[in-house]
Amino acid sequence: MSSAAAPTLSLPGDPPGGRRAAWVWGIGVAVYFVAIIFRTSLGVAGLDAADRFHVNASALSTFSILQLLVYAGMQIPVGLMVDRLGTKKVLTLGAVLFTLGQLGFALSPSYGTALASRALLGCGDAMTFISVLRLGARWFPARRGPLIGQIAALFGMAGNLVSTLFIARALHGFGWTTTFVGSSVAGVVVLVLLLLFLKDHPEGHEPPPVEHAGAAYVRRQIAASWAEPGTRLGMWVHFTTQFPAMVFLLLWGLPFLVEAQGLSRSTAGELLTLVVLSNMVFGLIYGQVIARHHAARAPLALGTVTATALLWASAVLHPGHAPMWLLIVLCVVLGACGPASMIGFDFARPANPPERQGTASGIVNMGGFIASMTTLFAVGVLLDATGDNYRIAFASVFVLEALGVVQILRLRSRAAHRERDHHVVSRVEAVHVPV
């Protein structure tokens, strides 16, 4: 495949985009933004949660593991729901659930009720990103897909920035209950906005009706999506690229920087903020590069994995405390993990027709969260087993990265060949559509 920009094709019925599209899509992104604030709020409250509920590292990691387990397990059902019910209904349900989960976490009197609240939050959170991707596909031309996806992820990272900058400070200024109850108000605000203003698609661009629901429909959607090499490649790209930064930001970064590297909580918080800021910059860069040079997708993904592994090894295995410059470079490189994971959707999108986009996106989105959940659990168990030896615990990252790289290399050429076939068919169909 040439490294030149892939030719853009305006197919009949391609949405026009424009200000109206940006406004409606922006409401969906705002819902995702709040969901990320709620998802990542535990990352800056991990030590506080351990003290509040009197739990060890394994029990603490269970918060995030359960949340991600629910999230990952919901991806295919949510994809099917989006394909069947449309974006607005799914986003509305998601906003209700993640707001109740955040409120419940604020008021939980025990470890068990707090776990249930995080599970509820994870269920609502699971309904946001796939819905936002589908909303962008319905309101913007297909050629805008890579950039629209990266911008949505960028706003999600802005939600992470709110957690690292404001939730962390509010916890120390106002306490646990006030902070989490206050943050849950944001969920109510976006729920009202989407109920009043969000539409599934522009007028005149209604999707074709779904034939029927039922088990047979579900099986066909999943089987047809999985049969595409581009869907499977997208899942493994997402699996391999996303989880190091997710593990770092969601739970273990702050304890690692404070307990293993001897930094103050404020300095550690600044480094977590650097990951988020770096993510936002890389998101814009990756989106522009992929939109212009489609063949850059796999090199960008594999390059990000390589750089992440090298910096992770250098920082974690450094004798004594790693120097500050190395920790800074590590956090900058970790910022590229989120944008690199978005490349997975860019492999799955051209491989599947519009009526399967939600299901295919759900399969892809499972990858990174399964990897994150597995690593969160492994790190917690290894920390308890080794007396908080972060070198051993954090080495578990390399196992999953190696597995993912093998799968990417195995599927890469097969997906490229299949995508070329799809592109030829699309061009022929466009030529023969009467105007």
Side-chain angles (χ1 to χ4, degrees), residues 51-107:
D51 292 336
R52 179 178 176 85
F53 299 112
H54 311 292
V55 294
N56 60 14
S58 296
L60 180 61
S61 67
T62 304
F63 278 123
S64 296
I65 292 167
L66 178 61
Q67 182 179 333
L68 293 184
L69 178 63
V70 172
Y71 187 105
M74 286 291 294
Q75 289 311 292
I76 291 178
V78 167
L80 292 164
M81 287 170 63
V82 171
D83 287 337
R84 176 68 180 169
L85 302 176
T87 301
K88 185 170 184 174
K89 291 179 181 178
V90 178
L91 271 182
T92 299
L93 179 59
V96 170
L97 292 178
F98 68 59
T99 301
L100 290 176
Q102 185 79 340
L103 185 61
F105 195 57
L107 304 175

Side-chain angles (χ1 to χ4, degrees), residues 6-11 14-19 21-22 25 132-153 283-284 286-292 294 342 345-346 349-350:
T8 59
L9 184 63
S10 295
L11 297 174
D14 217 14
R19 291 183 180 179
W25 177 75
V132 171
L133 288 179
R134 173 63 172 261
L135 195 65
R138 289 298 185 193
W139 281 88
F140 291 95
R143 67 181 182 276
R144 302 290 187 192
L147 185 58
I148 290 297
Q150 290 287 359
I151 292 175
L284 290 175
Y286 280 23
Q288 293 284 355
V289 170
I290 294 169
R292 289 170 168 78
H294 225 44
M342 292 297 300
F345 298 102
D346 294 322
R349 187 183 299 111

Side-chain angles (χ1 to χ4, degrees), residues 328-347:
I328 290 173
V329 175
L330 170 64
C331 290
V332 170
V333 171
L334 285 175
C337 291
S341 72
M342 292 297 300
I343 296 172
F345 298 102
D346 294 322
F347 281 112

Side-chain angles (χ1 to χ4, degrees), residues 77 110 116 125 160 175 185 208 295 379:
S110 67
D125 181 18
N160 202 326
V185 174
V379 170

Side-chain angles (χ1 to χ4, degrees), residues 41 43 73 77 109 141 146 186 205 216 266 341 347 372 396 400 420:
S41 58
H205 293 271
S266 62
S341 72
F347 281 112
S372 298
S396 58
L400 272 71
R420 282 194 294 269

Side-chain angles (χ1 to χ4, degrees), residues 89-381:
K89 291 179 181 178
V90 178
L91 271 182
T92 299
L93 179 59
V96 170
L97 292 178
F98 68 59
T99 301
L100 290 176
Q102 185 79 340
L103 185 61
F105 195 57
L107 304 175
S108 293
S110 67
Y111 177 68
T113 54
L115 274 178
S117 296
R118 294 307 286 188
L120 189 63
L121 192 158
C123 186
D125 181 18
M127 299 181 180
T128 58
F129 189 64
I130 292 175
S131 298
V132 171
L133 288 179
R134 173 63 172 261
L135 195 65
R138 289 298 185 193
W139 281 88
F140 291 95
R143 67 181 182 276
R144 302 290 187 192
L147 185 58
I148 290 297
Q150 290 287 359
I151 292 175
L154 185 150
F155 277 97
M157 291 309 297
N160 202 326
L161 191 63
V162 170
S163 292
T164 57
L165 289 179
F166 298 107
I167 299 293
R169 288 176 172 81
L171 277 168
H172 297 292
F174 301 104
W176 180 279
T177 302
T178 301
T179 297
F180 282 101
V181 169
S183 66
S184 65
V185 174
V188 177
V189 172
V190 295
L191 178 60
V192 171
L193 286 174
L194 76 88
L195 287 173
L196 291 177
F197 301 112
L198 192 135
K199 292 184 62 177
D200 283 343
H201 47 75
E203 293 182 8
H205 293 271
E206 292 80 3
V210 178
E211 294 181 4
H212 57 82
Y217 164 78
V218 170
R219 287 194 298 269
R220 284 199 306 272
Q221 285 287 93
I222 296 173
S225 298
W226 184 256
E228 293 291 344
T231 304
R232 301 198 302 276
L233 175 59
M235 187 198 73
W236 283 109
V237 167
H238 200 271
F239 177 101
T240 313
T241 53
Q242 188 203 49
F243 79 96
M246 180 71 74
V247 167
F248 201 80
L249 286 171
L250 198 60
L251 185 61
W252 292 122
L254 187 71
F256 166 72
L257 294 171
V258 173
E259 297 175 357
Q261 299 300 322
L263 303 180
S264 67
R265 287 181 63 134
S266 62
T267 302
E270 290 170 357
L271 286 175
L272 294 181
T273 302
L274 178 60
V275 177
V276 177
L277 293 174
S278 172
N279 183 293
M280 297 170 76
V281 173
F282 275 111
L284 290 175
I285 295 172
Y286 280 23
Q288 293 284 355
V289 170
I290 294 169
R292 289 170 168 78
H293 306 282
H294 225 44
R297 292 172 300 171
L300 277 178
L302 291 171
T304 302
V305 173
T306 301
T308 302
L310 289 175
L311 269 299
W312 191 275
S314 299
V316 171
L317 303 179
H318 193 282
H321 293 163
M324 179 57 71
W325 68 264
L326 181 55
L327 295 176
I328 290 173
V329 175
L330 170 64
C331 290
V332 170
V333 171
L334 285 175
C337 291
S341 72
M342 292 297 300
I343 296 172
F345 298 102
D346 294 322
F347 281 112
R349 187 183 299 111
N352 292 273
E355 62 271 18
R356 274 206 321 261
Q357 289 293 323
T359 305
S361 295
I363 293 173
V364 171
N365 212 27
M366 285 179 61
F369 289 93
I370 290 174
S372 298
M373 177 179 61
T374 303
T375 309
L376 283 167
F377 176 74
V379 170
V381 169

